[in-house]
């Protein structure tokens, strides 16, 4: 073998070695790719399993709350299983609430009610229902919107006390539609807004006007006014706005001493005993017509205070400030009142109230045409004051005659 052949052989050997090295590198790369693909498949399988496990746990939780027993449903959502199913249907067919393929209507409503009933923070709901904070917030706003769209269905139309009424609490107040009053709901607002929302007691709250009928159902709610606003100012806004409280001329609501005694609003005598606790015991009986009128007025008007008490007892979100924007906090108060009416309509026995309710006597969803003149001003009236004096004297004379 001559020198040229030897050099050629060495070059061929070198090329062969380089080829072997390339093949080895390619093999190592293929092995690495196979390992990564195996890891990816394992990770994908693990993610899928976790996803399926999360869906299963979420489904079990919703089933446990809404379908396992009435006791669970009432404890968690403040209504039994039948009422919950009716609410889901109402929000779907009348409120426009949709099952978007991501979260079922049942889960949307259950999450919403659980937040209201127990004032759960977003983080707690995330953990319990295995959802993101953004998802929880989005569907809370959707349910609020659906409830606002059916408020005319859920707010009741009050009926006046008739002349043949025999109920001792109401028989003297012919034409009365119910009671009206204001209450404070504590809120969170920006520091710059706190002076406007500060009440006389120093709390940061909104002034909420509530109207209820004799059966303790909400007729109208106006929420959002600052805590510094007077009750009379809030009332004027309520009866003058387009979608406000409508009071037919000739009818009225019982109001406390903070309101003007005028057409549409029957207030007690000022400077005279009024609150129920002041009449306890035989030695505290009324001594004149003003005191007797105030006592009967207080007994009847107590329905609005019981209504407020039941609302706050049922919905924990009304008992402490929430962290939603103030506009949303006002809608939350209204939503609580609407749900209060719904529960009292669709549950024969309300544990919060501990008194049976005849569902058939409380129809829902009937809108009445506005075919009457309404009270559109809040002002004192000598005629109204004289009528109150005449009524008080008649009530007192009747009471005296029954005692003698």
């Amino acid at each position: 073998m001559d020198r040229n052949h030897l050099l050629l052989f060495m070059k061929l050997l070198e090329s062969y070695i380089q080829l072997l090295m390339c093949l080895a590198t390619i093999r190592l790369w293929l092995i690495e790719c196979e390992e990564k693909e195996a890891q990816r498949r394992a990770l994908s399988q693990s993610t899928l399993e976790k996803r399926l496990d999360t869906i299963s746990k979420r489904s079990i939780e919703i089933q446990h709350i809404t379908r396992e027993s009435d006791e669970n449903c009432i404890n968690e959502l403040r209504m039994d299983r039948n009422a919950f199913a009716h609410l889901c249907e109402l929000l779907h067919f009348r409120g426009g609430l949709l099952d978007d393929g991501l979260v079922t209507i049942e889960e949307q409503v259950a999450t919403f009610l659980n937040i209201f009933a127990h004032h759960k923070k977003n983080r707690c709901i995330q953990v319990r229902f295995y959802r993101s904070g953004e998802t929880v917030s989005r569907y809370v706003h959707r349910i609020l919107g659906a409830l606002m769209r059916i408020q005319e269905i859920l707010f009741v139309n009050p009926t006046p006390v008739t002349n043949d009424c025999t109920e001792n609490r109401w028989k003297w107040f012919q034409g009365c539609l119910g009671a009206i009053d204001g209450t404070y709901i504590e809120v969170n607002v920006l520091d710059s807004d706190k002076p406007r929302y500060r009440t006389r007691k120093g709390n940061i709250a909104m002034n909420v006007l509530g109207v209820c009928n004799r059966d303790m159902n909400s007729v109208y709610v106006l929420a959002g006014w600052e805590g510094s606003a007077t009750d009379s100012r809030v009332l004027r806004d309520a009866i003058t706005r387009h979608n406000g409280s409508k009071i037919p001329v000739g009818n009225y609501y019982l109001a406390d001493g903070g309101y003007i005694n005028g057409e549409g609003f029957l207030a007690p005598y000022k400077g005279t005993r009024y609150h129920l606790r002041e009449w306890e015991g035989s030695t505290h009986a009324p001594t004149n017509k003003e005191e007797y009128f105030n006592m009967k007025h207080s007994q009847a008007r107590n329905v609005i205070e019981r209504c407020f008490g039941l609302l706050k007892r049922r919905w924990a979100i009304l008992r402490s400030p929430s962290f939603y924007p103030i506009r949303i906090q006002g809608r939350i108060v209204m939503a609580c009142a609407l749900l209060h009416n719904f529960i009292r309509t669709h549950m024969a026995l309300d544990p919060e109230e501990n008194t049976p309710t005849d569902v058939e006597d409380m129809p829902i969803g009937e809108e009445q045409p506005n075919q009457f003149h309404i009270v559109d001003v809040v002002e004192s009236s000598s005629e109204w004051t004289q009528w109150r004096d005449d009524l008080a004297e008649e009530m007192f004379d009747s009471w005296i005659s029954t005692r003698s």
Side-chain angles (χ1 to χ4, degrees):
M1 181 180 295
D2 59 19
R3 180 179 176 82
N4 292 332
H5 286 94
L6 182 60
L7 292 174
L8 179 61
F9 176 76
M10 293 298 294
K11 288 182 179 180
L12 290 174
L13 182 60
E14 184 180 354
S15 299
Y16 178 71
I17 293 173
Q18 290 179 352
L19 178 61
L20 290 178
M21 292 179 64
C22 288
L23 291 175
T25 302
I26 293 173
R27 179 172 176 75
L28 290 174
W29 178 75
L30 290 174
I31 292 173
E32 185 178 350
C33 288
E34 290 177 356
E35 290 178 349
K36 288 183 178 180
E37 179 63 20
Q39 292 176 358
R40 188 191 65 78
R41 286 196 298 266
L43 182 61
S44 177
Q45 182 67 22
S46 175
T47 302
L48 178 61
E49 290 176 355
K50 289 181 179 179
R51 176 66 175 167
L52 292 176
D53 183 57
T54 297
I55 293 174
S56 176
K57 289 180 178 178
R58 182 188 301 132
S59 177
I60 291 173
E61 186 68 21
I62 297 299
Q63 293 280 340
H64 172 70
I65 293 174
T66 64
R67 299 189 180 183
E68 187 171 299
S69 69
D70 282 337
E71 181 180 4
N72 285 353
C73 201
I74 292 172
N75 288 340
E76 296 288 347
L77 311 180
R78 298 296 185 256
M79 61 183 69
D80 59 28
R81 291 173 293 176
N82 182 64
F84 176 75
H86 277 88
L87 179 60
C88 290
E89 291 181 0
L90 184 63
L91 291 172
H92 175 53
F93 292 107
R94 300 297 298 273
L97 187 64
L98 299 176
D99 183 343
D100 56 10
L102 300 175
V103 182
T104 65
I105 290 178
E106 289 76 13
E107 184 185 341
Q108 294 178 45
V109 178
T111 302
F112 180 87
L113 293 176
N114 191 257
I115 291 174
F116 274 40
H118 304 283
H119 197 184
K120 295 290 187 180
K121 289 185 169 59
N122 190 300
R123 295 175 185 174
C124 297
I125 298 300
Q126 291 178 49
V127 174
R128 182 169 191 183
F129 293 100
Y130 303 91
R131 292 292 187 186
S132 69
E134 189 276 334
T135 298
V136 172
S137 178
R138 179 170 69 251
Y139 288 102
V140 165
H141 285 79
R142 285 191 183 183
I143 301 272
L144 269 178
L147 280 170
M148 295 304 104
R149 286 191 287 273
I150 60 173
Q151 59 181 290
E152 291 185 355
I153 298 175
L154 295 180
F155 277 135
V156 301
N157 292 306
T159 56
V161 178
T162 58
N163 294 332
D164 57 356
C165 176
T166 58
E167 187 178 355
N168 186 55
R169 186 187 299 267
W170 294 99
K171 66 181 182 180
W172 288 105
F173 301 105
Q174 287 84 18
C176 179
L177 298 171
I180 187 170
D181 200 2
T183 189
Y184 291 114
I185 302 294
E186 293 189 1
V187 294
N188 278 306
V189 295
L190 299 175
D191 290 341
S192 58
D193 292 330
K194 285 184 177 180
R196 295 190 295 117
Y197 284 89
R198 195 179 306 279
T199 68
R200 288 172 296 184
K201 294 184 178 181
N203 299 323
I204 306 301
M206 69 168 63
N207 192 342
V208 177
L209 176 72
V211 184
C212 75
N213 66 359
R214 291 175 290 150
D215 295 320
M216 215 163 56
N217 290 314
S218 293
V219 174
Y220 177 76
V221 172
L222 177 59
W225 271 92
E226 302 90 338
S228 60
T230 62
D231 289 345
S232 58
R233 184 182 178 187
V234 179
L235 178 59
R236 286 189 177 90
D237 180 35
I239 68 170
T240 54
R241 60 172 54 200
H242 174 69
N243 59 343
S245 179
K246 308 302 180 185
I247 308 173
V249 172
N251 296 129
Y252 58 92
Y253 286 104
L254 301 182
D256 69 11
Y259 296 94
I260 290 175
N261 182 67
E263 186 175 20
F265 308 98
L266 183 61
Y269 287 98
K270 295 183 179 181
T272 303
R273 285 188 296 166
Y274 180 73
H275 297 289
L276 291 178
R277 62 178 177 272
E278 299 179 82
W279 310 104
E280 295 177 355
S282 57
T283 59
H284 296 86
T287 58
N288 53 51
K289 69 176 186 179
E290 288 81 9
E291 289 188 349
Y292 186 73
F293 176 86
N294 275 14
M295 183 183 72
K296 301 301 290 185
H297 186 284
S298 180
Q299 289 174 348
R301 199 195 64 85
N302 180 252
V303 67
I304 186 66
E305 296 178 357
R306 290 164 52 212
C307 186
F308 283 145
L310 182 56
L311 270 173
K312 293 180 180 180
R313 187 164 64 249
R314 192 194 306 279
W315 307 114
I317 199 168
L318 298 181
R319 299 199 295 267
S320 56
S322 67
F323 289 89
Y324 293 97
I326 189 64
R327 180 180 64 87
I328 300 300
Q329 292 183 63
R331 298 177 74 184
I332 286 173
V333 175
M334 183 178 293
C336 288
L338 295 172
L339 291 168
H340 162 84
N341 282 5
F342 179 86
I343 290 173
R344 300 193 75 250
T345 300
H346 286 82
M347 286 180 60
L349 183 63
D350 181 1
E352 291 294 340
E353 188 181 353
N354 200 27
T355 55
T357 303
D358 189 354
V359 174
E360 295 181 356
D361 292 340
M362 300 170 63
I364 189 170
E366 298 179 1
E367 299 182 21
Q368 297 181 358
N370 192 5
Q371 298 178 338
F372 41 73
H373 297 290
I374 61 173
V375 176
D376 55 4
V377 294
V378 180
E379 59 183 11
S380 59
S381 166
S382 57
E383 293 82 1
W384 196 261
T385 301
Q386 183 60 50
W387 173 75
R388 182 182 64 175
D389 290 341
D390 295 340
L391 176 61
E393 186 170 356
E394 182 182 358
M395 292 167 64
F396 186 69
D397 291 344
S398 176
W399 179 62
I400 292 296
S401 64
T402 58
R403 299 184 66 191
S404 57

